[in-house]
Amino acid sequence: MRLPDTLQPWAPWLIWFDAEIAGVLGDLLLRLHPALGAFRLRAQRGAAEPEGIEDLRRRGSYERLLLSEWALADAAPEEFDRRAAGGEHLFLNPKPVARQVDALTVAVFDAGPSQLGAPRLVHAVLWILLAQRAQAAGARFLWGVLARPGELHEADSPAALKRLLSARSLTPGGAASARASVEQGADLGRDLHAQWAQALDAAEPSPSERWSVGAHAPGYALGHRVDVVRADADELAVTVAARQARRELRLRLPDPEPSSRLLRGEFERLAASRQKIPAHARLSRQQPPIIAADGRSVATLWAGENAAYVQRLSPPHQPQRLLPPKTARWAKHRHLLAACLSGRHFAGVLTRSQFLDPWQLAHWPGLPHPLPQHLNAAPGQARLMQCAEIAGNDDEQRHLLLWSGSRLLCWSARHPRNGRRCDRPGYRLLGENVLGFVALPPQRAFYLQGTGEGVQVRRFDGAGVETLESLPCDGEAGVGFLCGNAWGDRWQGDIAVEFAAGQRGGERHGRWRLWRRSRSQGLQDFELALSAAWKVVGLAAVSADAPALIALDPDRKAVVRIGERGRTTLYASPQKISVASVAAAADTIALIDVSGRLTILRHQGRDVLVYEGGDD
């Protein structure tokens, strides 16, 4: 990892982290460093002693006269006197003694409830800043936690920083200290600072610099006080106070994804599993992978053949590994129009001259062709359509949905259990201008439909169609994505819609609007401007952070998470990426590069599974 020149003083610490976390820390280091002021150390008392010999000189004390000169005094006294008169004697010159210092600076961090979350980022940055300042001055840096007076630790490894980040407490001094404080009626924070001051006064040597980091401490605390408090939802207020000066600044919170990994102690983004299984067929580089809603299976079509691989994955909480793929084949003279994963089985709709044939989907008979204006069923479509089978209100009712990219069609039929053939199903048009479609079989499916006044989230289940959310917005809607589920009669999850935005700086841009509906915070939304060179392929899995897009960068060499606060690279591909897909209700992304290699990303890119499906 290459660091800019401005961050080189902290390079020995920043190399502990991956590039994204180092970038977060680097920005905070540059903001906080000027606020700390000059480094002050006291001279150590006591007589200085020589530290060896530096060179020989012709002037000096006769206590340091060379032994060879004394030998000359015994052998030739006249010559000794002559050399003395002429200033030719040689004397040992001691090496100058560097003035010693109280080589100790101490920082005490409040790990109590007021400092949980974002303030801990400032703790980590100050830990690095103070360690570098002490090292540059030839001093030692030790740190402790407010709840444990007198207990100091070295700051010499990533494990030491992780120890600081893991030192969290719901009370400033732990449960025992909290009970004692209540019983004695004392100020717990003031009492802990007094205990620390006594412990540092008794230390040998006594620290020259003493830092107290946390919530507001009494007076100047131990000497230098750093207060870290929330200013608002997106900012921290930091105050650095000492007897000589007081400095205040605001820090905008960085990207939450690398910040969260830092606070969890995950300093490096490591692939938990990178498995390679040789393939016997080339994978299609035109058709995106098909991912099951739960992210447990991925299907990929073969290139030039009527076959597909179904790759099964381990459950998310188990060690990630690829299981041997299953192969699904259909008749050579039939064309696949739409596909899905029904459970772990690859299924779809095949074309026939007069009918559409459901394949691997229950016991559907041939489906009548829709009207040409509703569906183009000609063979050789550039991309497969999406389909899904949804259960009805009773055990015999079935619905087959097919999304063509703009229209959503539905065939319904009863499937008697007595072995009788079901009636010929009829179809109906559920909606036009359908921007996005998510199936969560077997019970429900959701789709995003553009209207004249905005977009609507609708649910289809055995009871029919229901509108869950109406989102007013301006502009002509294009592509849309959904990620979430329904809670009662309300949508719960994320929505993203692209609107045309025209030119910006000579480059065509799209305007993306993202919404999140949650029970705790209601409806939230924001907009992103994104160059048309980016290719958005879906929404990130719903997490505690705000909604985010999953996109391929303009070079098609990286999978990037794009949120309101910044961008995070989830995966850098050695080859250009041809196609990619995102799971509708799981943290799974699948992509195929130009060599035909399938790569599956799970857990925000921390798990990488590689299936060698190429011909290289």
Side-chain angles (χ1 to χ4, degrees):
M1 179 177 61
R2 291 180 59 85
L3 294 172
D5 293 341
T6 53
L7 294 178
Q8 286 304 318
W10 303 285
W13 291 269
L14 292 178
I15 60 174
W16 297 347
F17 310 95
D18 67 24
E20 292 171 357
I21 294 180
V24 168
L25 289 173
D27 292 341
L28 295 175
L29 286 168
L30 295 175
R31 291 293 313 279
L32 280 171
H33 177 241
L36 298 189
F39 195 23
R40 295 179 176 86
L41 293 174
R42 293 193 303 268
Q44 190 180 46
R45 299 174 182 175
E49 295 185 358
E51 295 182 352
I53 301 301
E54 186 173 37
D55 59 7
L56 299 176
R57 293 189 178 180
R58 293 192 179 277
R59 299 183 65 181
S61 170
Y62 273 86
E63 294 177 353
R64 300 194 297 272
L65 186 68
L66 284 179
L67 291 178
S68 59
E69 297 287 357
W70 288 117
L72 183 63
D74 292 337
E78 297 83 358
E79 179 61 20
F80 180 85
D81 293 340
R82 187 195 67 77
R83 288 173 62 84
E88 299 178 9
H89 281 166
L90 294 176
F91 300 87
L92 297 173
N93 183 45
K95 183 179 180 180
V97 180
R99 292 187 62 81
Q100 299 296 311
V101 296
D102 288 341
L104 181 62
T105 182
V106 169
V108 176
F109 296 89
D110 180 1
S114 67
Q115 298 294 289
L116 295 179
R120 302 287 278 166
L121 296 173
V122 177
H123 292 202
V125 173
L126 285 170
W127 191 91
I128 295 173
L129 283 171
L130 295 174
Q132 187 274 335
R133 280 159 56 99
Q135 184 185 84
R140 289 178 67 204
F141 170 62
L142 300 178
W143 63 275
V145 176
L146 180 63
R148 303 184 182 93
E151 186 178 323
L152 292 172
H153 310 281
E154 296 283 350
D156 55 1
S157 66
L161 180 55
K162 291 179 182 180
R163 186 174 184 176
L164 168 65
L165 295 173
S166 64
R168 295 184 291 269
S169 173
L170 295 180
T171 56
S177 297
R179 285 195 298 270
S181 176
V182 171
E183 293 170 1
Q184 300 170 9
D187 186 327
L188 179 59
R190 188 181 300 273
D191 183 57
L192 289 171
H193 280 94
Q195 294 179 44
W196 264 107
Q198 294 174 7
L200 297 180
D201 287 342
E204 184 59 39
S206 179
S208 289
E209 275 199 342
R210 306 178 182 188
W211 293 82
S212 178
V213 182
H216 184 76
Y220 294 106
L222 301 177
H224 295 76
R225 192 187 80 224
V226 181
D227 298 336
V228 187
V229 296
R230 282 268 192 176
D232 54 40
D234 296 324
E235 282 189 329
L236 292 174
V238 180
T239 302
V240 182
R243 298 186 186 279
Q244 298 84 2
R246 176 187 177 93
R247 300 175 179 88
E248 297 180 357
L249 68 156
R250 295 287 188 99
L251 297 177
R252 185 169 178 81
L253 295 181
D255 186 355
E257 196 277 331
S259 301
S260 298
R261 288 195 290 117
L262 169 63
L263 297 182
R264 292 195 301 267
E266 300 172 3
F267 292 173
E268 296 181 349
R269 184 186 291 279
L270 298 176
S273 178
R274 183 179 289 270
Q275 298 188 7
K276 296 185 179 182
I277 300 176
H280 304 291
R282 291 183 299 111
L283 301 182
S284 171
R285 290 167 290 190
Q286 282 75 44
Q287 299 293 345
I290 299 168
I291 310 176
D294 61 2
R296 293 282 306 277
S297 301
V298 177
T300 51
L301 270 65
W302 290 13
E305 296 192 44
N306 287 12
Y309 273 138
V310 178
Q311 187 67 66
R312 293 175 297 151
L313 308 177
S314 305
H317 59 277
Q318 294 183 5
Q320 298 303 297
R321 60 193 182 98
L322 284 171
L323 304 175
K326 296 174 61 177
T327 302
R329 297 179 181 273
W330 58 95
K332 292 184 178 181
H333 62 283
R334 308 298 292 277
H335 297 281
L336 187 65
L337 180 67
C340 66
L341 280 167
S342 179
R344 293 191 176 186
H345 302 287
F346 185 74
V349 175
L350 304 175
T351 60
R352 198 165 37 151
S353 58
Q354 297 180 351
F355 298 99
L356 302 178
D357 281 342
W359 171 67
Q360 303 274 61
L361 289 170
H363 301 286
W364 288 85
L367 306 177
H369 265 293
L371 295 174
Q373 60 266 34
H374 291 166
L375 179 69
N376 177 14
Q381 300 285 328
R383 293 289 176 90
L384 292 177
M385 302 177 189
Q386 293 186 41
C387 63
E389 188 178 38
I390 305 298
N393 283 331
D394 55 52
D395 292 341
E396 296 184 356
Q397 186 74 24
R398 293 288 185 273
H399 306 281
L400 180 60
L401 303 181
L402 188 148
W403 181 45
S404 67
S406 61
R407 297 180 179 87
L408 185 62
L409 307 178
C410 175
W411 289 263
S412 301
R414 301 189 65 83
H415 295 256
R417 289 185 170 184
N418 56 12
R420 293 165 46 198
R421 294 186 61 184
C422 68
D423 298 333
R424 179 73 65 186
Y427 89 93
R428 55 186 167 131
L429 180 65
L430 288 184
E432 296 188 90
N433 196 24
V434 176
L435 311 176
F437 172 75
V438 169
L440 301 180
Q443 301 298 332
R444 63 190 65 177
F446 302 93
Y447 61 97
L448 191 63
Q449 185 170 11
T451 65
E453 300 178 351
V455 293
Q456 293 182 339
V457 180
R458 294 182 173 177
R459 173 176 60 191
F460 177 87
D461 55 19
V465 176
E466 181 180 6
T467 299
L468 303 180
E469 193 80 59
S470 294
L471 304 170
C473 47
D474 299 326
E476 182 180 352
V479 181
F481 297 100
L482 294 159
C483 184
N485 210 323
W487 186 267
D489 60 351
R490 299 289 283 178
W491 168 258
Q492 300 291 328
D494 298 342
I495 305 162
V497 178
E498 182 186 24
F499 298 90
Q503 300 285 330
R504 175 182 291 184
E507 185 178 13
R508 194 167 67 89
H509 276 68
R511 176 172 61 92
W512 284 88
R513 189 164 180 184
L514 286 80
W515 294 267
R516 166 167 290 182
R517 166 73 71 180
S518 63
R519 284 181 288 169
S520 60
Q521 298 183 347
L523 185 66
Q524 300 170 291
D525 71 293
F526 62 90
E527 288 192 358
L528 292 173
L530 198 61
S531 167
W534 289 78
K535 181 174 178 57
V536 178
V537 294
L539 273 166
V542 176
S543 64
D545 301 328
L549 301 172
I550 300 296
L552 305 182
D553 72 343
D555 296 330
R556 303 295 188 264
K557 296 291 289 290
V559 179
V560 182
R561 183 182 186 274
I562 305 175
E564 184 179 16
R565 296 180 181 170
R567 300 172 180 178
T568 302
T569 299
L570 303 180
Y571 175 72
S573 174
Q575 306 264 5
K576 281 193 173 184
I577 300 169
S578 293
V579 288
S581 302
V582 180
D587 189 2
T588 304
I589 303 169
L591 56 96
I592 299 175
D593 61 28
V594 293
S595 67
R597 180 185 294 106
L598 169 67
T599 302
I600 301 171
L601 312 177
R602 307 186 84 182
H603 303 136
Q604 299 187 39
R606 290 193 295 273
D607 294 326
V608 181
L609 307 174
V610 178
Y611 180 84
E612 293 286 1
D615 54 356
D616 54 344

